[in-house]
Amino acid sequence: MKKTKLKTKLKPIIGMEVHVELNTSSKMFCGCPAKHFRIKPNTHTCPVCLGLPGALPVPNQKAVNWTILTGLALNCQINKQSKFDRKHYFYPDLAKGYQISQYDQPLSQNGFLIITSGKKIRLNRVHLEEDTGKLLHKKIKGQNLTLVDFNRSGVPLMEIVTEPDITSGSEAKEFLKNLRDILRTLKVSDCDMEKGSMRLEANISLSPTSRPYKVEVKNLNSFRFVDQAINYEIARQTKLIGQGITPKQETRGFNSKTKTTHSQRSKEEAQDYRYFPEPDIPPLVFTDEYINKIKDQLPTLPEEKISLLMKKYKLNHSAASLLVINQHDQYFKKAVKLAPTNISAPTIANLIVNKKINPQTTSPKQLITDLVSKSAAQISDEKLLLGIIKQVIKTNPKPVKSYHQGKTTVITYLIGQVMAQTKGQANPQLTKKLLKQNL
Ligand code: ZN
Ligand code: MN
């Protein structure tokens, strides 16, 4: 038989699953404090979150409202009828033998998020569930032991699932950054990956193949690792398919040192979990009025804030988004209000985003006072500058020549020369303008 090499271009199909711990003061189905990071093990527990027989769960209304709020911020449809389901699996950190989650009637579904590049990533759902306990692997008296801490058991956990609209590691990273900014703006979670309050999973496959499959990479605790894991998987799966092998449907782990993934176990299917409605919690029913009240609490979201800053203060996209992402936009606005007219808003913004000042230690007033005294010391006298500029042009024939040959970036070098001559006090905008006129 003649071997034909079909050169079909393989397309990466990537979906993300993000688990986010909510910032509520109490747990999802009991009154225990939800705080669990660096807390003495097994001190924030009760019969409910330990899964003792007969204990009854009562849903945390704040967690429900925050999930609806998140759904609204992510353009989801809010289900007026929702319910909790039991998802069964065995693991030592899951005391009940099942997790209370949501299956076919999540709080919200069918949303989307438009990432910075302008691409729309569709969201399958935003649902609410409970976190599990934590296993601690320790060596005690020479013995390798696994201990269980149930402080995290029952902490409200929101799950956000995308449709497989992502096509690269960098796009996944962008999506995650945008999502985190929204969640932080909503103040529903601190999204701190080191504390485990934001946990990431990627589902990666390539198309077309002879039969469909999905590879899940778990426990990715930074956006960079997501990017690296996806790149590794795309290369690994491309190679397999090139050899005529369809990659196995499985769950893989990621090694951040080698930047590679490794097989952990075959992936479960939904039927493996034996989902059924949680009999101890009645279905949730919401009126339009209830949902609208939550809608009224929606703050201005990052993208909206960015475009407002760009419009009102004539900032470029990068300065505006850095102000918003670093939560320095209020500080910036205060500083602009205090500034005299000769100091422009973009100048102030650039100063803040270039981290030349620290908003934690410098008040907006101090920032402006410094700027004013600096600009007073600046040489803005055209005649004086012109003399220096002409001198610089005369003594730098080579860069001047390359400027005339079209290498206009050398102007930065010439500005630098003027700055050196004036000990950094030349007004940079004026220097640039005069240089251009005289070159
Ligand atoms: Zn409890
Ligand atoms: Mn989950």
Side-chain angles (χ1 to χ4, degrees):
M1 202 170 74
K2 210 175 124 196
K3 252 193 186 171
T4 41
K5 226 180 183 180
L6 266 176
K7 263 220 161 168
T8 338
K9 186 125 175 58
L10 290 167
K11 198 175 133 224
I13 298 174
I14 302 159
M16 295 294 310
E17 232 177 272
V18 181
H19 283 90
V20 173
E21 274 181 354
L22 296 178
N23 252 340
T24 54
S25 50
S26 57
K27 288 190 182 180
M28 187 58 228
F29 298 112
C30 62
C32 292
K35 221 176 148 178
H36 61 84
F37 189 69
R38 296 208 176 117
I39 300 288
K40 192 169 179 258
N42 298 308
T43 52
H44 290 176
T45 57
C46 74
V48 174
C49 55
L50 287 174
L52 300 188
L56 286 174
V58 178
N60 181 330
Q61 189 173 14
K62 194 167 228 176
V64 170
N65 291 353
W66 280 1
T67 305
I68 294 176
L69 185 73
T70 306
L72 290 167
L74 296 172
N75 309 294
C76 288
Q77 148 208 336
I78 307 301
N79 285 329
K80 286 191 189 168
Q81 287 240 26
S82 182
K83 69 174 168 70
F84 286 102
D85 299 276
R86 292 186 177 182
K87 178 182 181 179
H88 297 81
Y89 63 97
F90 174 80
Y91 215 62
D93 61 8
L94 190 69
K96 298 192 294 288
Y98 60 85
Q99 177 194 32
I100 303 180
S101 180
Q102 296 199 283
Y103 185 47
D104 54 345
Q105 285 178 18
L107 282 164
S108 62
Q109 64 192 108
N110 301 335
F112 63 86
L113 189 139
I114 294 174
I115 56 178
T116 313
S117 67
K119 183 171 170 177
K120 188 181 196 171
I121 307 292
R122 289 170 304 149
L123 298 170
N124 177 285
R125 54 161 61 211
V126 178
H127 82 226
L128 187 56
E129 56 188 36
E130 56 177 343
D131 210 344
T132 59
K134 215 174 180 171
L135 297 179
L136 306 159
H137 307 285
K138 284 203 170 172
K139 195 165 192 158
I140 296 169
K141 290 181 186 163
Q143 259 198 338
N144 288 321
L145 295 174
T146 298
L147 306 172
V148 197
D149 175 11
F150 285 108
N151 284 345
R152 201 180 68 177
S153 170
V155 167
L157 197 62
M158 194 163 70
E159 184 178 316
I160 300 153
V161 185
T162 76
E163 294 293 348
D165 290 349
I166 297 165
T167 52
S168 69
S170 59
E171 207 170 83
K173 217 162 99 179
E174 198 183 318
F175 164 78
L176 292 166
K177 273 189 188 161
N178 283 273
L179 177 65
R180 182 183 59 186
D181 292 342
I182 290 173
L183 297 172
R184 284 189 174 160
T185 306
L186 298 176
K187 297 194 168 79
V188 296
S189 173
D190 57 19
C191 296
D192 187 336
M193 279 171 281
E194 272 171 46
K195 288 198 291 185
S197 46
M198 187 179 196
R199 307 200 284 266
L200 317 166
E201 284 160 45
N203 285 308
I204 308 148
S205 59
L206 298 177
S207 172
T209 49
S210 52
R211 65 186 157 78
Y213 71 97
K214 204 155 83 177
V215 173
E216 181 183 56
V217 185
K218 274 194 182 274
N219 300 325
L220 298 163
N221 51 15
S222 86
F223 296 165
R224 194 162 44 95
F225 294 164
V226 170
D227 188 8
Q228 291 169 348
I230 288 174
N231 291 337
Y232 177 80
E233 272 306 306
I234 290 176
R236 185 185 71 87
Q237 294 175 24
T238 303
K239 200 174 159 197
L240 283 175
I241 296 165
Q243 294 163 351
I245 306 164
T246 301
K248 253 198 268 168
Q249 168 123 342
E250 62 182 351
T251 297
R252 296 177 73 90
F254 178 68
N255 182 328
S256 56
K257 286 200 185 79
T258 57
K259 301 184 178 80
T260 59
T261 66
H262 50 270
S263 180
Q264 282 183 325
R265 55 186 155 88
S266 66
K267 197 174 153 37
E268 303 83 354
E269 301 278 349
Q271 66 260 26
D272 296 334
Y273 291 123
R274 296 157 14 250
Y275 278 102
F276 68 74
E278 166 60 63
D280 291 336
I281 305 173
L284 307 168
V285 181
F286 305 103
T287 60
D288 283 326
E289 208 190 344
Y290 190 91
I291 295 166
N292 284 335
K293 250 193 192 157
I294 297 175
K295 209 181 248 171
D296 289 342
Q297 293 163 22
L298 268 180
T300 314
L301 294 169
E303 239 348 276
E304 234 175 301
K305 279 189 193 171
I306 292 166
S307 51
L308 281 174
L309 284 179
M310 289 171 71
K311 234 191 249 158
K312 190 165 173 198
Y313 300 99
K314 309 224 155 36
L315 303 185
N316 58 34
H317 187 272
S318 119
S321 56
L322 281 169
L323 284 176
V324 170
I325 289 166
N326 298 324
Q327 298 181 334
H328 291 154
D329 48 324
Q330 290 306 322
Y331 178 88
F332 161 76
K333 284 184 195 166
K334 272 184 206 151
V336 170
K337 257 192 201 147
L338 296 165
T341 47
N342 66 329
I343 296 174
S344 74
T347 305
I348 297 167
N350 286 334
L351 199 66
I352 299 171
V353 299
N354 292 333
K355 286 190 186 144
K356 289 199 177 112
I357 60 113
N358 180 355
Q360 259 78 50
T361 53
T362 313
S363 70
K365 202 174 169 199
Q366 188 60 46
L367 169 79
I368 296 304
T369 312
D370 291 353
L371 259 178
V372 168
S373 62
K374 220 173 138 196
S375 76
Q378 247 181 19
I379 304 171
S380 296
D381 183 330
E382 270 197 42
K383 260 191 192 156
L384 187 64
L385 270 181
L386 204 57
I388 300 163
I389 284 166
K390 285 192 171 154
Q391 188 63 30
V392 166
I393 292 176
K394 214 169 152 187
T395 52
N396 291 283
K398 259 193 184 167
V400 171
K401 200 180 161 196
S402 39
Y403 180 85
H404 289 304
Q405 284 166 346
K407 208 174 166 237
T408 51
T409 47
V410 269
I411 201 158
T412 325
Y413 171 79
L414 295 169
I415 294 171
Q417 293 304 304
V418 177
M419 285 296 171
Q421 297 281 321
T422 58
K423 297 197 172 73
Q425 289 187 325
N427 176 322
Q429 282 91 28
L430 189 59
T431 304
K432 194 173 181 181
K433 194 181 115 192
L434 291 175
L435 259 173
K436 276 189 177 165
Q437 284 171 358
N438 287 276
L439 270 166

